[in-house]
Amino acid sequence: MPYEAPTHTVERSLRATTDARIIAGVDEVGRGAWAGPVTVCAAVTGLRRPPAGLTDSKLISPKRRTELAGELESWVTSYALGDSSPEEIDALGMTAALRLAAVRALEALPVRPDAVILDGKHDYLGGPWKVRTVIKGDQSCVSVAAASVLAKVRRDAMMAELGAESEQYAPFAFDANAGYPSPVHRAALEERGPTAHHRLSWSYLDALPRWRHLKKVRVSPEAAAMESGGQLGFDF
C-alpha cells in the first residue's frame, strides 16, 4: 500500500515556536501485548534526509524493518530505549508504566532533549518534559517513525530470544507473535497457563477459567478503564 513519507514538519515547527534545538521523537511498542515488556524508544534525528522507506514500523515487512533498523542505528543522531516489565505494568497500570519506560529512554540519551514529539493523542509523559503529541506521528514525523522502527525491532528480538531460552516457552510462539494475542498464544495459555513473563492484570485471564484465580487487580478503576481499549488488538 503506498504511503506518504514522514517529514520534518513538526520538528521544524517546534524549533520555530519553542526555540528547541534537540528534539526527540518517542514511540512505544507492546502496549497491547499479553506477555513481555512495553518498550519505548526516544530518537533524535536532526533534519537530515532519512533512509528510504522509513514509516510506521507496522507498515514495513519484518525483513525490511530489521534492515531499516540497522540503517537507522548509524543514521540517527542518538537513540535510547526503555522498558517497563510485566510486573511493573501490573503494579502501576499501563499509563504509568509507559511513562516509566519513556523516562528511562529519554534519560538514557547522551543529551537531554529540549522537546519531545510523542506519538498518539494522549500525553502519557507530562512534565517536566515539553511534549507535542501527534496522532499517527509514526507515519508523519521522521523522528517518531525512526523511534517506531527501532522500538519494534528491539522488542521483537527480545521476545524471540525469550521464546528460545526455554522449551516451556516454545508453545507460546513468542517469535511469531511477540507476546500479542494470537490463536497459538491463546491455546498455549488455555493449556499451560501464564508464564512469569505474562501480564497478570490483563483481561485475557477472564476467559481462562483454569487460570482466572491468578489475575491481579489493577491499582485503580481509572487505570483499568484507560488500558482496556488496547488489550485485545492483534498488532504483531
Side-chain angles (χ1 to χ4, degrees):
M1 179 181 296
Y3 52 83
E4 292 187 12
T7 70
H8 295 292
T9 299
V10 178
E11 289 90 338
R12 292 182 189 278
S13 172
L14 280 170
R15 287 191 173 205
T17 59
T18 69
D19 292 327
R21 288 295 174 262
I22 301 173
I23 299 169
V26 170
D27 198 14
E28 56 77 23
V29 63
R31 186 196 300 246
W34 287 346
V38 61
T39 298
V40 173
C41 180
V44 179
T45 62
L47 299 177
R48 294 168 295 144
R49 182 186 298 274
L54 178 63
T55 188
D56 174 9
S57 63
K58 296 186 290 297
L59 301 178
I60 308 172
S61 70
K63 180 176 184 296
R64 176 53 186 152
R65 196 162 56 216
T66 300
E67 294 172 349
L68 187 56
E71 297 174 31
L72 287 168
E73 287 177 356
S74 59
W75 176 81
V76 298
T77 303
S78 62
Y79 79 97
L81 295 125
D83 300 309
S84 283
S85 68
E87 294 83 3
E88 289 171 327
I89 294 169
D90 287 334
L92 301 173
M94 180 52 77
T95 301
L98 275 171
R99 185 179 194 280
L100 181 61
V103 169
R104 285 169 173 165
L106 288 163
E107 291 186 342
L109 290 170
V111 180
R112 183 183 178 92
D114 301 314
V116 174
I117 304 173
L118 192 62
D119 180 53
K121 181 179 180 180
H122 301 290
D123 177 8
Y124 59 76
L125 185 56
W129 306 92
K130 295 179 180 178
V131 177
R132 173 80 59 88
T133 58
V134 179
I135 296 173
K136 294 188 177 180
D138 49 10
Q139 295 181 38
S140 61
C141 300
V142 168
S143 60
V144 180
S148 169
V149 171
L150 290 166
K152 176 68 173 167
V153 170
R154 148 71 182 270
R155 187 180 182 280
D156 282 359
M158 186 191 313
M159 294 304 296
E161 290 171 6
L162 174 63
E165 77 178 25
S166 172
E167 291 185 1
Q168 68 173 311
Y169 300 138
F172 294 91
F174 290 147
D175 60 327
N177 59 50
Y180 282 90
S182 75
V184 171
H185 193 170
R186 183 183 291 276
L189 279 166
E190 289 177 347
E191 180 180 350
R192 298 169 177 267
T195 70
H197 300 283
H198 279 85
R199 302 170 187 180
L200 298 182
S201 58
W202 252 222
S203 60
Y204 69 84
L205 281 169
D206 294 335
L208 302 174
R210 288 178 61 192
W211 312 107
R212 194 178 297 152
H213 65 285
L214 298 175
K215 187 175 181 182
K216 293 183 178 180
V217 177
R218 290 202 180 123
V219 291
S220 69
E222 291 79 11
M226 291 179 71
E227 295 154 31
S228 62
Q231 290 182 32
L232 302 179
F234 288 69
D235 187 16
F236 52 85

